[in-house]
Amino acid sequence: MNNIQEILDYNQTFVESKEYEKYTAGKFPTKKMVIITCMDTRLVELLPKAMNLKNGDVKIIKNAGAIISQPFGSVMRSVLVALYELGADEVVVVGHKECGMASLHAETMIGHMLERGVSEEVLTTLENSGIRLTKWLRGFDSVEEGVKHTVEVIKKHPLLPPNAPVHGLVIDPHTGKLDLVADGYSV
């Protein structure tokens, strides 16, 4: 059985037995927060538990490394939608120790792209179009610095509501311990 069929089979039972009822929540975050965090599989359940969050408490945006690389890209747009349209008042960036983005090397990833069938011609076309894959695919040296950088990108955004707190945390993916690296309440 493939993964999608397994998911669909489970889902049919989930819906028929009304398991969804215990997750009922409104679309507005009750804690009035939007969280940007990493897509790391270890954080799926650990992060909400470590932060005492339940369904409906916050908006969560996940991407590689909890990084906003484009100030006018989709992640920042989602932050602004949460702040202006969905009732969030503050932003929390949560990176994690042992993040894969800390060890991401563009050249290695480009090699993997070639191995999986992306042609040299496509890479050359992108490069000749001004897309610098080695810059776009770079990671960061320190998770703490990556979080601080994203906090600063958000804080300096011209469309951020004045006085919206932007915090930065780093979570240990083994224990759930959170360390504050940017306090949005102190100016």
Side-chain angles (χ1 to χ4, degrees):
M1 179 182 306
N2 64 43
N3 287 333
I4 293 299
Q5 191 56 54
E6 185 178 322
I7 288 168
L8 291 172
D9 290 347
Y10 176 85
N11 180 256
Q12 182 176 355
T13 304
F14 178 86
V15 172
E16 287 172 356
S17 63
K18 298 186 179 190
E19 287 291 315
Y20 57 85
E21 289 177 346
K22 61 185 166 190
Y23 303 104
T24 301
K27 71 177 187 175
F28 298 102
T30 58
K31 293 194 179 200
K32 299 189 178 290
M33 298 176 95
V34 57
I35 295 173
I36 302 158
T37 192
C38 187
M39 63 185 191
D40 190 288
T41 56
R42 297 171 292 180
L43 304 183
V44 171
E45 291 187 49
L46 179 65
L47 180 73
K49 296 292 185 197
M51 296 180 78
N52 191 31
L53 302 173
K54 65 182 185 321
N55 206 37
D57 280 349
V58 298
K59 295 294 183 184
I60 298 180
I61 302 165
K62 293 184 170 218
N63 71 359
I67 296 295
I68 293 181
S69 57
Q70 302 292 328
F72 286 91
S74 63
V75 176
M76 191 64 210
R77 180 182 59 222
S78 296
V79 169
L80 294 172
V81 167
L83 291 168
Y84 285 107
E85 301 297 321
L86 299 173
D89 290 332
E90 55 191 299
V91 182
V92 182
V93 178
V94 184
H96 67 93
K97 296 178 182 198
E98 300 174 6
C99 184
M101 289 297 286
S103 61
L104 181 69
H105 299 287
E107 295 79 10
T108 303
M109 189 166 170
I110 290 167
H112 293 151
M113 290 175 181
L114 291 166
E115 289 169 7
R116 292 191 61 182
V118 175
S119 70
E120 284 279 357
E121 181 182 12
V122 167
L123 298 178
T124 301
T125 299
L126 290 172
E127 195 70 26
N128 290 336
S129 299
I131 298 169
R132 303 291 173 250
L133 290 177
T134 54
K135 183 177 179 186
W136 185 60
L137 294 173
R138 73 171 180 252
F140 46 76
D141 295 327
S142 153
V143 173
E144 291 79 7
E145 290 307 313
V147 168
K148 289 177 185 177
H149 172 76
T150 294
V151 165
E152 286 304 309
V153 168
I154 297 167
K155 285 172 56 174
K156 291 178 181 175
H157 200 282
L159 299 176
L160 186 76
N163 304 318
V166 183
H167 314 280
L169 299 168
V170 174
I171 188 171
D172 182 312
H174 301 289
T175 66
K177 182 181 183 312
L178 292 163
D179 294 314
L180 184 66
V181 296
D183 183 351
Y185 296 135
S186 65
V187 179

